[in-house]
Amino acid sequence: MTQFILALDQGTTSSRAIVFDHQGQIRHLAQKEFTQHFPRPGWVEHDPREIWSTQLGVVQEALAGAGLRAGDLAAIGITNQRETVIVWDRASGEPIYPAIVWQDRRTAAECEALRAAGHEDLIREKTGLLLDPYFSGTKLAWILDHVPGARVRAERGELACGTVDSWLLYHLTGGECHLTDVSNASRTLLLNIHTGEWDDELLALLRIPRALLPGVRPSSEVYGETAPGLLGARVKIAGMAGDQQAATFGQVCLRPGMAKNTYGTGCFMLMNTGPGAVRSPSRLLTTVAWDRGQGRTYALEGSVFVAGAVVQWLRDGLGLIRDAAEIEALATGVPDSGGVYLVPAFVGLGAPYWDPYARGTVVGLTRGTTRAHLARAALDSVAFQAADLLGAMVQDSGVTLSELRVDGGASRNNLLMQAQADLLGVTVTRPRVTETTALGAAFLAGLAVGYWQSEAELEALWQVDRSFEPALGADERERRVRQWRRAVERSRAWAQEDEA
């Protein structure tokens, strides 16, 4: 197979382009950071033009680096930072306001007002999401309310909106395609995840004109071709998915009960729940994972707020290490944490506790506690939090986990991965290709154009770098989890009591 797949991975801080071959191996990767704008406290914006220019630039750089031309590509796949929203002029393609980024909190008051008016249950039932400024819908309403004339122009059909996938597709096709995929659409507060369509009741609630919105399509189909003259040859654009859903597909978690965890500053964990949307008593998110044109696949999603960030704290806050890479060697110097438990609730606790007033806690200190014990407790804290999250997923879904697939920077820490296997009691598997987000976009695009024939072919391509088998007995695992939960209880409601 002489052709290749190009994946565009448009993230929060950089735009990347990766060329994959038929074996799913990377031929070339190009990356360029772009500017973060913080106009007011709690506000985060990007320049949509810079997103587009950096993405186009790395496409050209990746092709040149791989020694290829556009005609050598079978297809392009897109994956993107989710929930970030852009509104632009349909005729000119120019944005009417900066992109409001998923991290932006400016619509917190609007979300609180919707909650106070009793709309949270309706939104949760239809979208699978929590009522939070994290998601796109209230950001979109804010732009329409604050840019002069925007709402009238939107109702007349003069404006277009979308998440970053839609923005890139629109410009790649020279304005021909105004579409999104169902995985990105499911993060907007506007899509009914049970029908796969924009919901009139939700649109009315958030005051979003339907004329503004992109068409909702499957995650794997040919949407259009690159505009003539853009790359030198017209290339099919054939796959789109939000970054965490794409990573789940790239990890080939294609059957119900398969799960992946991405270890970064925080952790994103997704479990495939198959064709059924599982409502979560633990307040995990129910989201569309993907749709290959044969029906939607759903997932439960949860996040750990502080994962790799606890290592940064040991480095920058306490000065225990000079470089994050030192943590594994330091922690390996002791057989265990010596009874020390660190709960990194620096910004509260997420699922399954949902306590914004929890604060960081270290318990079990003795005169014999050393730097190494604190380092070990810090790594253990990441594994404990992920185990809590996965336990909630298993309980909510009723599906037993057999394996956790891992990626992200901290997944390279062998001690952490072994701790994760020990605390879960299941195999933890790290793939050879860790660029799973881009690989997922490539897989979705390649399937749509017949570059790969089946999901079974993708499963055969997915290669293990290393598997970590649980080495703790069940009794010891339960003892450690019990102690961890005691430590968590001591961290809870701390700030609330302080304020009282």
Coordinates of all heavy atoms in Angstrom, one line a residue, residues 76-154:
I76 N -7.9 12.2 4.8 CA -7.5 13.0 6.0 C -8.5 12.8 7.1 O -9.7 12.8 6.8 CB -7.5 14.5 5.6 CG1 -6.3 14.8 4.6 CG2 -7.3 15.4 6.9 CD1 -6.3 16.3 4.1
G77 N -8.0 12.6 8.3 CA -8.9 12.5 9.5 C -8.7 13.7 10.4 O -7.5 14.2 10.5
I78 N -9.7 14.1 11.1 CA -9.6 15.3 12.0 C -10.0 14.9 13.4 O -11.0 14.2 13.6 CB -10.5 16.4 11.6 CG1 -10.1 16.9 10.2 CG2 -10.5 17.6 12.6 CD1 -11.2 17.9 9.6
T79 N -9.1 15.2 14.4 CA -9.5 15.2 15.8 C -9.2 16.5 16.5 O -8.3 17.2 16.0 CB -8.9 14.0 16.5 OG1 -9.3 13.9 17.9 CG2 -7.3 14.1 16.5
N80 N -9.9 16.8 17.6 CA -9.8 18.2 18.0 C -10.1 18.3 19.5 O -10.8 17.5 20.1 CB -10.9 19.0 17.2 CG -12.2 18.4 17.3 OD1 -12.5 17.4 16.7 ND2 -13.1 19.1 18.1
Q81 N -9.6 19.5 20.1 CA -10.0 19.9 21.4 C -11.5 20.0 21.4 O -12.1 20.6 20.5 CB -9.4 21.2 21.8 CG -9.5 22.3 20.7 CD -9.2 23.7 21.3 OE1 -9.5 24.0 22.4 NE2 -8.4 24.5 20.5
R82 N -12.2 19.4 22.4 CA -13.7 19.4 22.4 C -14.2 20.7 23.1 O -13.5 21.3 23.8 CB -14.2 18.2 23.1 CG -13.6 16.9 22.5 CD -14.1 15.7 23.3 NE -13.6 15.7 24.6 CZ -14.0 14.8 25.6 NH1 -14.8 13.8 25.3 NH2 -13.5 15.0 26.8
E83 N -15.5 20.9 22.8 CA -16.3 22.0 23.5 C -15.9 23.4 23.2 O -16.6 24.4 23.5 CB -16.2 21.8 25.0 CG -16.9 20.5 25.5 CD -15.9 19.4 25.7 OE1 -14.7 19.7 25.8 OE2 -16.3 18.2 25.8
T84 N -14.7 23.7 22.5 CA -14.3 25.0 22.1 C -15.2 25.4 20.9 O -15.4 24.6 20.0 CB -12.8 25.0 21.7 OG1 -12.1 24.7 22.9 CG2 -12.4 26.4 21.2
V85 N -15.8 26.6 20.9 CA -16.8 27.0 20.0 C -16.4 28.3 19.2 O -15.8 29.2 19.8 CB -18.2 27.1 20.6 CG1 -18.3 28.3 21.5 CG2 -19.3 27.1 19.6
I86 N -16.7 28.3 17.9 CA -16.4 29.4 17.0 C -17.6 29.8 16.2 O -18.4 28.9 15.8 CB -15.3 29.0 16.0 CG1 -14.0 28.5 16.8 CG2 -14.9 30.1 15.1 CD1 -13.0 27.8 15.9
V87 N -17.9 31.1 16.0 CA -18.9 31.6 15.1 C -18.3 32.4 14.0 O -17.4 33.2 14.3 CB -19.9 32.4 15.9 CG1 -21.0 32.9 15.0 CG2 -20.6 31.6 17.0
W88 N -18.7 32.1 12.8 CA -18.1 32.9 11.6 C -19.1 33.2 10.6 O -20.2 32.7 10.6 CB -17.0 32.0 11.0 CG -17.3 30.7 10.4 CD1 -17.6 30.5 9.1 CD2 -17.4 29.4 11.0 NE1 -17.9 29.2 8.8 CE2 -17.8 28.5 10.0 CE3 -17.3 29.0 12.3 CZ2 -18.0 27.1 10.3 CZ3 -17.4 27.6 12.6 CH2 -17.8 26.7 11.6
D89 N -18.7 34.1 9.7 CA -19.5 34.6 8.6 C -19.5 33.6 7.5 O -18.5 33.2 7.0 CB -19.0 36.0 8.1 CG -19.8 36.5 7.0 OD1 -19.8 36.0 5.9 OD2 -20.4 37.6 7.2
R90 N -20.7 33.1 7.1 CA -20.8 32.1 6.1 C -20.1 32.5 4.7 O -19.5 31.7 4.0 CB -22.2 31.7 5.8 CG -22.8 30.8 6.8 CD -24.2 30.3 6.4 NE -24.9 29.6 7.4 CZ -24.7 28.2 7.6 NH1 -23.9 27.6 6.8 NH2 -25.3 27.6 8.6
A91 N -20.3 33.7 4.4 CA -19.8 34.2 3.1 C -18.3 34.4 3.1 O -17.6 33.9 2.1 CB -20.5 35.5 2.7
S92 N -17.7 35.0 4.1 CA -16.3 35.3 4.1 C -15.5 34.3 4.8 O -14.3 34.2 4.6 CB -16.1 36.7 4.7 OG -16.4 36.6 6.1
G93 N -16.1 33.5 5.7 CA -15.3 32.5 6.5 C -14.6 33.2 7.6 O -13.8 32.5 8.4
E94 N -14.8 34.5 7.9 CA -14.1 35.2 8.9 C -14.9 35.0 10.3 O -16.1 35.2 10.3 CB -14.0 36.7 8.6 CG -13.0 37.0 7.5 CD -11.6 36.7 8.0 OE1 -11.2 37.2 9.1 OE2 -10.9 35.9 7.3
P95 N -14.2 34.8 11.4 CA -14.8 34.7 12.7 C -15.4 36.0 13.1 O -14.8 37.1 12.8 CB -13.7 34.2 13.6 CG -12.4 34.6 12.9 CD -12.7 34.6 11.5
I96 N -16.5 36.0 13.9 CA -17.0 37.3 14.4 C -16.6 37.5 15.8 O -16.8 38.6 16.4 CB -18.6 37.3 14.3 CG1 -19.2 36.2 15.3 CG2 -19.1 37.0 12.9 CD1 -20.7 36.4 15.5
Y97 N -15.9 36.5 16.4 CA -15.4 36.6 17.8 C -14.4 35.6 18.0 O -14.4 34.6 17.3 CB -16.6 36.4 18.8 CG -16.3 36.8 20.2 CD1 -16.3 38.1 20.7 CD2 -15.9 35.8 21.1 CE1 -16.0 38.5 22.0 CE2 -15.5 36.1 22.4 CZ -15.6 37.5 22.8 OH -15.2 37.8 24.1
P98 N -13.5 35.8 18.9 CA -12.5 34.7 19.2 C -13.2 33.4 19.6 O -14.3 33.4 20.1 CB -11.7 35.3 20.4 CG -11.8 36.7 20.2 CD -13.2 37.0 19.7
A99 N -12.5 32.3 19.4 CA -12.9 31.0 19.9 C -13.0 31.0 21.4 O -12.0 31.4 22.1 CB -12.0 29.9 19.4
I100 N -14.1 30.6 22.0 CA -14.2 30.5 23.4 C -13.8 29.0 23.8 O -14.5 28.1 23.3 CB -15.6 30.8 24.0 CG1 -15.9 32.3 23.6 CG2 -15.7 30.6 25.5 CD1 -17.3 32.8 24.1
V101 N -12.8 28.9 24.6 CA -12.1 27.6 24.8 C -12.9 26.8 25.9 O -13.5 27.4 26.8 CB -10.7 27.8 25.2 CG1 -9.9 26.5 25.4 CG2 -10.0 28.6 24.1
W102 N -12.8 25.5 25.8 CA -13.5 24.6 26.7 C -13.2 24.9 28.2 O -14.0 24.7 29.1 CB -13.1 23.1 26.4 CG -11.7 22.8 26.5 CD1 -10.8 22.8 25.5 CD2 -11.0 22.3 27.7 NE1 -9.5 22.4 26.0 CE2 -9.6 22.1 27.3 CE3 -11.3 22.0 29.0 CZ2 -8.6 21.6 28.1 CZ3 -10.3 21.5 29.9 CH2 -9.0 21.3 29.4
Q103 N -12.0 25.5 28.5 CA -11.6 25.8 29.8 C -12.3 27.0 30.4 O -12.3 27.3 31.6 CB -10.1 26.0 29.9 CG -9.2 24.8 29.5 CD -7.8 25.2 29.1 OE1 -7.7 26.2 28.3 NE2 -6.9 24.5 29.5
D104 N -12.9 27.8 29.5 CA -13.5 29.1 29.8 C -14.7 29.0 30.8 O -15.5 28.1 30.6 CB -13.9 29.8 28.5 CG -14.3 31.3 28.7 OD1 -15.4 31.5 29.3 OD2 -13.5 32.1 28.3
R105 N -14.7 29.8 31.8 CA -15.8 29.7 32.8 C -16.7 30.9 32.8 O -17.5 31.1 33.8 CB -15.1 29.6 34.2 CG -14.1 28.5 34.4 CD -14.6 27.1 34.2 NE -15.6 26.8 35.3 CZ -16.3 25.6 35.3 NH1 -16.1 24.8 34.3 NH2 -17.1 25.3 36.2
R106 N -16.8 31.7 31.8 CA -17.5 32.9 31.8 C -19.1 32.7 31.9 O -19.8 33.6 32.3 CB -17.2 33.8 30.6 CG -17.9 33.4 29.3 CD -17.5 34.2 28.1 NE -16.0 34.0 27.8 CZ -15.4 34.7 26.9 NH1 -16.0 35.6 26.1 NH2 -14.1 34.4 26.7
T107 N -19.5 31.5 31.5 CA -21.0 31.3 31.5 C -21.4 30.5 32.8 O -22.5 29.9 32.8 CB -21.4 30.5 30.3 OG1 -20.8 29.3 30.2 CG2 -21.1 31.3 29.0
A108 N -20.6 30.5 33.8 CA -21.0 29.8 35.1 C -22.3 30.4 35.6 O -23.2 29.6 36.1 CB -19.9 30.0 36.1
A109 N -22.5 31.7 35.6 CA -23.8 32.3 36.1 C -25.0 31.8 35.3 O -26.1 31.5 35.9 CB -23.7 33.8 36.1
E110 N -24.8 31.7 34.0 CA -25.9 31.3 33.1 C -26.3 29.8 33.5 O -27.5 29.4 33.5 CB -25.6 31.4 31.6 CG -25.6 32.8 31.1 CD -24.3 33.5 31.4 OE1 -23.5 33.1 32.2 OE2 -24.0 34.6 30.7
C111 N -25.3 29.0 33.7 CA -25.5 27.6 34.1 C -26.2 27.5 35.4 O -27.1 26.7 35.6 CB -24.2 26.8 34.1 SG -23.4 26.6 32.5
E112 N -25.8 28.3 36.3 CA -26.5 28.4 37.6 C -27.9 28.8 37.5 O -28.8 28.2 38.2 CB -25.7 29.3 38.6 CG -26.0 29.1 40.1 CD -25.8 27.6 40.5 OE1 -24.7 27.1 40.2 OE2 -26.7 27.1 41.0
A113 N -28.2 29.8 36.7 CA -29.6 30.2 36.5 C -30.4 29.1 35.9 O -31.6 28.9 36.3 CB -29.6 31.4 35.5
L114 N -29.9 28.4 34.9 CA -30.6 27.2 34.3 C -30.9 26.1 35.3 O -32.0 25.5 35.4 CB -29.8 26.6 33.1 CG -29.8 27.5 31.9 CD1 -28.7 27.0 30.9 CD2 -31.1 27.5 31.1
R115 N -29.9 25.9 36.2 CA -30.1 24.9 37.3 C -31.2 25.4 38.3 O -32.0 24.6 38.6 CB -28.7 24.7 38.0 CG -28.7 23.6 39.0 CD -27.4 23.4 39.6 NE -26.4 22.9 38.6 CZ -25.4 23.6 38.1 NH1 -25.2 24.8 38.5 NH2 -24.6 23.0 37.2
A116 N -31.1 26.7 38.6 CA -32.1 27.2 39.6 C -33.5 27.2 39.0 O -34.5 27.0 39.7 CB -31.7 28.6 39.9
A117 N -33.6 27.3 37.7 CA -34.9 27.2 37.0 C -35.4 25.8 36.8 O -36.5 25.6 36.2 CB -34.8 27.9 35.7
G118 N -34.6 24.8 37.2 CA -35.1 23.4 37.2 C -34.8 22.7 35.9 O -35.5 21.7 35.7
H119 N -33.9 23.1 35.1 CA -33.7 22.5 33.8 C -32.6 21.4 33.8 O -32.4 20.8 32.8 CB -33.3 23.6 32.8 CG -34.3 24.6 32.6 ND1 -35.6 24.3 32.2 CD2 -34.3 26.0 32.7 CE1 -36.3 25.4 32.1 NE2 -35.6 26.4 32.4
E120 N -31.9 21.2 34.9 CA -30.7 20.3 34.9 C -31.1 18.9 34.5 O -30.4 18.2 33.7 CB -30.0 20.4 36.2 CG -28.7 19.6 36.2 CD -27.8 19.9 37.4 OE1 -28.3 20.1 38.5 OE2 -26.6 19.8 37.2
D121 N -32.2 18.4 35.1 CA -32.6 17.0 34.8 C -32.9 16.8 33.4 O -32.6 15.8 32.8 CB -33.8 16.6 35.7 CG -33.4 16.4 37.2 OD1 -32.1 16.3 37.4 OD2 -34.3 16.4 38.0
L122 N -33.6 17.8 32.7 CA -33.9 17.7 31.3 C -32.7 17.6 30.5 O -32.5 16.7 29.6 CB -34.8 18.9 30.9 CG -35.0 19.0 29.4 CD1 -36.0 18.0 28.9 CD2 -35.4 20.4 29.0
I123 N -31.7 18.5 30.8 CA -30.5 18.6 30.0 C -29.7 17.3 30.2 O -29.1 16.7 29.3 CB -29.6 19.8 30.5 CG1 -30.3 21.1 29.9 CG2 -28.2 19.7 30.0 CD1 -29.7 22.4 30.4
R124 N -29.6 16.8 31.4 CA -28.9 15.5 31.7 C -29.5 14.3 31.0 O -28.8 13.5 30.4 CB -29.0 15.3 33.3 CG -28.2 14.1 33.7 CD -26.8 14.4 34.2 NE -26.0 13.2 34.3 CZ -26.0 12.4 35.3 NH1 -26.7 12.7 36.4 NH2 -25.2 11.4 35.3
E125 N -30.8 14.3 31.0 CA -31.5 13.2 30.4 C -31.3 13.1 28.9 O -31.1 12.1 28.3 CB -33.0 13.2 30.7 CG -33.9 12.1 30.0 CD -33.4 10.7 30.4 OE1 -33.0 10.5 31.6 OE2 -33.4 9.9 29.5
K126 N -31.4 14.3 28.2 CA -31.2 14.4 26.8 C -29.8 14.3 26.3 O -29.5 13.7 25.2 CB -31.9 15.6 26.2 CG -33.4 15.6 26.4 CD -34.1 16.7 25.5 CE -35.6 16.5 25.5 NZ -36.2 17.3 24.5
T127 N -28.9 14.9 27.0 CA -27.5 15.1 26.5 C -26.5 14.2 27.2 O -25.4 14.0 26.7 CB -27.0 16.5 26.7 OG1 -26.8 16.8 28.1 CG2 -28.0 17.5 26.2
G128 N -26.8 13.6 28.4 CA -25.9 12.8 29.1 C -24.8 13.6 29.8 O -23.9 13.0 30.4
L129 N -24.9 15.0 29.8 CA -23.9 15.8 30.3 C -24.4 16.5 31.6 O -25.6 16.6 31.8 CB -23.5 16.9 29.3 CG -23.1 16.4 27.9 CD1 -22.9 17.6 27.0 CD2 -21.9 15.5 28.0
L130 N -23.5 17.1 32.3 CA -23.8 17.9 33.5 C -24.0 19.3 33.0 O -23.4 19.7 31.9 CB -22.7 17.8 34.5 CG -22.3 16.5 35.1 CD1 -21.2 16.5 36.0 CD2 -23.6 15.8 35.7
L131 N -24.7 20.1 33.7 CA -24.9 21.5 33.3 C -23.7 22.3 33.8 O -23.6 22.6 35.0 CB -26.2 22.1 34.0 CG -26.7 23.5 33.6 CD1 -26.7 23.7 32.1 CD2 -28.0 23.7 34.2
D132 N -22.8 22.6 32.9 CA -21.5 23.2 33.3 C -21.0 24.1 32.1 O -21.2 23.8 30.9 CB -20.5 22.1 33.6 CG -19.3 22.6 34.2 OD1 -18.3 23.1 33.5 OD2 -19.2 22.6 35.5
P133 N -20.3 25.2 32.4 CA -19.8 26.1 31.4 C -18.7 25.4 30.5 O -18.3 25.9 29.5 CB -19.2 27.3 32.1 CG -19.1 26.8 33.6 CD -20.2 25.8 33.8
Y134 N -18.2 24.2 31.0 CA -17.3 23.4 30.2 C -17.8 23.2 28.8 O -17.0 23.2 27.8 CB -17.1 22.1 31.0 CG -16.3 21.0 30.4 CD1 -15.0 21.3 29.8 CD2 -16.7 19.7 30.5 CE1 -14.3 20.2 29.3 CE2 -15.9 18.7 30.0 CZ -14.7 18.9 29.4 OH -14.0 17.9 28.9
F135 N -19.1 23.0 28.6 CA -19.7 22.5 27.4 C -20.0 23.7 26.5 O -20.1 24.9 26.9 CB -20.9 21.6 27.6 CG -20.5 20.4 28.5 CD1 -20.9 20.3 29.8 CD2 -19.7 19.4 28.0 CE1 -20.6 19.3 30.6 CE2 -19.3 18.4 28.7 CZ -19.8 18.3 30.1
S136 N -20.3 23.5 25.2 CA -20.3 24.5 24.2 C -21.6 25.4 24.2 O -21.5 26.6 23.8 CB -20.2 23.9 22.8 OG -19.2 23.0 22.7
G137 N -22.7 24.9 24.6 CA -24.0 25.6 24.3 C -24.1 26.9 24.9 O -24.5 27.9 24.2
T138 N -23.7 27.1 26.2 CA -23.8 28.4 26.8 C -22.8 29.4 26.3 O -23.0 30.6 26.3 CB -23.7 28.3 28.4 OG1 -22.5 27.6 28.7 CG2 -24.9 27.5 28.9
K139 N -21.6 28.9 25.8 CA -20.6 29.7 25.2 C -21.2 30.3 23.9 O -21.0 31.5 23.6 CB -19.4 28.9 24.9 CG -18.6 28.3 26.0 CD -17.4 27.5 25.5 CE -16.5 27.0 26.6 NZ -17.0 25.9 27.4
L140 N -21.8 29.5 23.1 CA -22.4 29.9 21.9 C -23.5 31.0 22.1 O -23.5 32.0 21.4 CB -23.0 28.7 21.2 CG -23.7 28.9 19.8 CD1 -22.7 29.6 18.8 CD2 -24.1 27.6 19.2
A141 N -24.3 30.8 23.1 CA -25.4 31.8 23.4 C -24.7 33.1 23.9 O -25.2 34.2 23.5 CB -26.3 31.2 24.5
W142 N -23.6 33.0 24.6 CA -22.9 34.2 25.0 C -22.4 35.0 23.8 O -22.6 36.3 23.8 CB -21.7 33.8 25.9 CG -21.1 35.0 26.6 CD1 -21.3 35.4 27.9 CD2 -20.1 35.9 26.1 NE1 -20.5 36.5 28.1 CE2 -19.8 36.8 27.1 CE3 -19.4 35.9 24.8 CZ2 -18.8 37.8 26.9 CZ3 -18.5 37.0 24.6 CH2 -18.2 37.9 25.6
I143 N -21.9 34.4 22.8 CA -21.4 35.1 21.7 C -22.6 35.8 21.0 O -22.5 37.0 20.6 CB -20.7 34.2 20.7 CG1 -19.4 33.7 21.3 CG2 -20.4 34.9 19.3 CD1 -18.6 32.6 20.5
L144 N -23.7 35.1 20.8 CA -24.8 35.7 20.2 C -25.4 36.9 20.9 O -25.9 37.8 20.4 CB -25.9 34.6 20.0 CG -25.6 33.5 19.1 CD1 -26.8 32.5 19.0 CD2 -25.2 33.9 17.7
D145 N -25.3 36.8 22.3 CA -25.8 37.9 23.1 C -24.8 39.1 23.2 O -25.3 40.2 23.5 CB -26.0 37.4 24.5 CG -27.2 36.5 24.6 OD1 -28.1 36.6 23.7 OD2 -27.3 35.7 25.6
H146 N -23.5 38.9 23.0 CA -22.6 40.0 23.2 C -21.9 40.5 22.0 O -21.2 41.6 22.1 CB -21.5 39.4 24.2 CG -22.0 39.3 25.6 ND1 -22.7 38.1 26.0 CD2 -21.9 40.1 26.7 CE1 -23.0 38.2 27.3 NE2 -22.6 39.4 27.7
V147 N -22.0 39.9 20.8 CA -21.5 40.5 19.6 C -22.7 41.3 18.9 O -23.7 40.6 18.6 CB -20.9 39.5 18.7 CG1 -20.5 40.1 17.3 CG2 -19.8 38.7 19.3
P148 N -22.6 42.6 18.7 CA -23.7 43.4 18.2 C -24.2 42.8 16.8 O -23.4 42.5 15.9 CB -23.1 44.7 17.9 CG -22.0 44.8 19.0 CD -21.4 43.4 19.1
G149 N -25.5 42.5 16.8 CA -26.1 42.1 15.6 C -26.0 40.6 15.3 O -26.6 40.1 14.3
A150 N -25.3 39.9 16.2 CA -25.0 38.4 15.9 C -26.3 37.6 15.9 O -26.5 36.7 15.0 CB -24.0 37.9 16.9
R151 N -27.1 37.8 16.9 CA -28.3 37.0 17.0 C -29.2 37.1 15.7 O -29.8 36.2 15.2 CB -29.1 37.3 18.3 CG -30.2 36.3 18.5 CD -30.8 36.5 19.9 NE -29.9 36.0 20.9 CZ -29.7 34.7 21.2 NH1 -30.3 33.8 20.5 NH2 -28.8 34.4 22.1
V152 N -29.4 38.4 15.3 CA -30.3 38.6 14.1 C -29.6 38.0 12.9 O -30.3 37.4 12.1 CB -30.5 40.2 13.9 CG1 -31.2 40.5 12.6 CG2 -31.2 40.8 15.1
R153 N -28.3 38.2 12.7 CA -27.7 37.6 11.6 C -27.7 36.1 11.6 O -27.8 35.4 10.6 CB -26.2 38.0 11.5 CG -26.0 39.5 11.3 CD -24.6 39.9 11.1 NE -24.1 39.3 9.8 CZ -22.8 39.0 9.6 NH1 -21.9 39.2 10.5 NH2 -22.5 38.4 8.5
A154 N -27.6 35.5 12.8 CA -27.7 34.0 13.0 C -29.1 33.5 12.5 O -29.2 32.5 11.8 CB -27.4 33.6 14.4

